[in-house]
Amino acid sequence: MIQRIAIIGLGTMGPGMAARLARGDLQVTAYDVAPAAIERARAMLGTAEGVLDALGIAPPPAGVGTVRFTDDLGEAVSGADLIIENVPENIVVKADVYRAIDGLIASDTIVASDTSGIPITQLQAHISHPERMVGMHWSNPPHIIPMIEVIAGEKTAPQTVATIRDLIRSIGLLPVVVKKDVPGFVENRVLYALLREAVDLVERGVIEPEDLDTCVSWGIGYKIAVVGPMALLDMAGLDIYKSVSSFLNADLSNRDDVAPMVLEKTGASKLGIKSGEGMFSYTPEQTKALQADRARKLVAVRRILEGRE
Ligand SMILES: NC(=O)c1ccc[n+]([C@@H]2O[C@H](COP(=O)([O-])OP(=O)(O)OC[C@H]3O[C@@H](n4cnc5c(N)ncnc54)[C@H](O)[C@@H]3O)[C@@H](O)[C@H]2O)c1
Ligand SMILES: Cc1ncc(CO)c(C(=O)O)c1O
């Protein structure tokens, strides 16, 4: 049974994840190699807890768990039943972490990666006892989005998958077990198909970025939150999908490299909210207001989708 969890890497994803797990009466230790990231995460924890209150996620009868921050890797993983690796999407960086923890943890401690899409089979080549490694892919913001993908690599034991699936379920979240270890798993394969086309349309001047967002959020996103893609095919009619896809599929972007617009912006350190500019520009005040507004709307929509309002 999982009771103690260590989170390694406290950037965009770590703090919300820590808050959500503690709300499930789990004891969390949170570690990052960068002291500034630990301080930022400490500050973000309270905000995430406020959002969990607004979502009406009541602590279990046993009470709320704890989140303890540490700058010592050994202390972070000591006695953990589960380690969630949450460091940058780079196999070299992730493999360094697995090597660093390998001698510090028991052979049956489960090691989960929040990778966005590196196959688990590749990751588990860098750890001893690969049967205890599993993909546990959260979606951002992790304290608000309830779905988590669970992915087995070639060497993952079925029991490891079952333990993580049951843990997710036990704290009121929604596990989805992905049946094949394909790059990007399922959520990001679908998301990146959409993002490839969206970037291409903006890059080719078909539409302005603001209008692209209006079109997709109101035309597709709002609807797809209620009617998933498979159900949408039935709602539209498979005959319509057959006719449209017969001419449209061949015209969709099939770019197999990164779009020049994205390379240009990342090359100029325009990374989005985290750097103050990306597709749009953000002052620190705007960022704060935007994040609060998005959290408020996501909470309201989720409550309605769950039939709680
Ligand atoms: N950002 C998203 O929307 C999102 C969503 C789901 C999954 N993910 C995945 O989660 C992982 C983390 O993503 P993120 O967006 O939180 O990244 P991030 O860059 O915001 O944060 C990564 C953190 O890891 C820390 N770090 C780097 N090396 C480390 C080490 N050796 N030991 C401990 N800490 C270390 C960094 O200091 C940083 O704070 C990635 O694999 C990413 O693909 C990201
Ligand atoms: C652009 C992008 N890439 C990856 C992920 C998750 O792995 C997300 C997300 O969760 O929102 C994302 O937006």
Side-chain angles (χ1 to χ4, degrees):
M1 189 173 152
I2 305 260
Q3 285 174 320
R4 300 181 66 176
I5 301 180
I7 299 180
I8 303 185
L10 304 174
T12 303
M13 297 297 286
M17 203 182 274
R20 183 62 188 87
L21 291 166
R23 191 59 62 107
D25 191 25
L26 295 154
Q27 312 310 318
V28 179
T29 48
Y31 165 83
D32 197 290
V33 75
I38 297 179
E39 285 324 302
R40 209 173 38 238
R42 217 189 278 278
M44 285 165 71
L45 193 67
T47 310
E49 284 167 347
V51 173
L52 290 169
D53 290 341
L55 271 171
I57 297 172
V64 182
T66 51
V67 180
R68 195 161 48 82
F69 292 92
T70 175
D71 60 3
D72 183 313
L73 181 62
E75 190 188 324
V77 300
S78 166
D81 307 304
L82 166 65
I83 291 165
I84 305 179
E85 168 276 303
N86 206 28
V87 303
E89 190 74 347
N90 177 319
I91 192 162
V92 176
V93 179
K94 289 184 185 295
D96 278 349
V97 169
Y98 306 148
R99 268 189 292 274
I101 60 174
D102 218 336
L104 301 172
I105 58 177
S107 60
D108 60 351
T109 302
I110 296 182
V111 178
S113 176
D114 183 32
T115 173
S116 291
I118 302 172
I120 305 307
T121 304
Q122 286 180 25
L123 295 180
Q124 67 190 172
H126 301 278
I127 196 159
S128 63
H129 305 286
E131 67 279 0
R132 44 70 180 273
M133 173 164 265
V134 65
M136 185 183 190
H137 178 225
W138 298 61
S139 198
N140 186 23
H143 51 300
I144 303 181
I145 308 294
M147 192 285 304
I148 302 177
E149 290 179 297
V150 183
I151 314 103
E154 273 169 19
K155 295 190 172 162
T156 308
Q159 187 53 51
T160 306
V161 172
T163 301
I164 295 303
R165 182 201 59 207
D166 293 349
L167 169 76
I168 294 168
R169 218 174 255 157
S170 74
I171 63 169
L173 295 173
L174 201 58
V176 170
V177 176
V178 178
K179 289 165 69 181
K180 292 190 180 176
D181 188 21
V182 291
F185 317 130
V186 171
E187 187 194 7
N188 276 336
R189 289 185 79 91
V190 174
L191 175 63
Y192 277 68
L194 185 151
L195 291 178
R196 175 167 67 178
E197 187 60 30
V199 167
D200 191 62
L201 289 165
V202 169
E203 193 162 46
R204 289 199 288 132
V206 174
I207 195 163
E208 291 300 320
E210 293 81 359
D211 293 335
L212 183 288
D213 278 5
T214 304
C215 177
V216 174
S217 292
W218 282 111
I220 305 168
Y222 166 54
K223 180 166 57 192
I224 227 156
V226 178
V227 187
M230 294 295 111
L232 187 61
L233 284 171
D234 281 352
M235 189 169 112
L238 285 164
D239 52 333
I240 299 298
Y241 180 69
K242 179 184 165 206
S243 301
V244 177
S245 60
S246 73
F247 67 85
L248 188 55
N249 282 1
D251 199 62
L252 296 174
S253 172
N254 65 354
R255 167 181 283 292
D256 63 8
D257 57 0
V258 182
M261 181 173 77
V262 174
L263 290 177
E264 199 181 299
K265 285 185 187 292
T266 51
S269 297
K270 294 180 181 172
L271 307 182
I273 283 183
K274 65 176 106 173
S275 67
E277 188 173 347
M279 300 303 298
F280 304 108
S281 297
Y282 312 86
T283 64
E285 298 72 37
Q286 283 170 331
T287 295
K288 213 169 161 207
L290 195 62
Q291 284 170 338
D293 186 56
R294 285 179 180 168
R296 186 180 57 77
K297 287 176 178 161
L298 285 169
V299 166
V301 171
R302 187 169 150 190
R303 289 185 74 108
I304 288 173
L305 291 174
E306 289 177 340
R308 291 196 282 141
E309 224 118 279

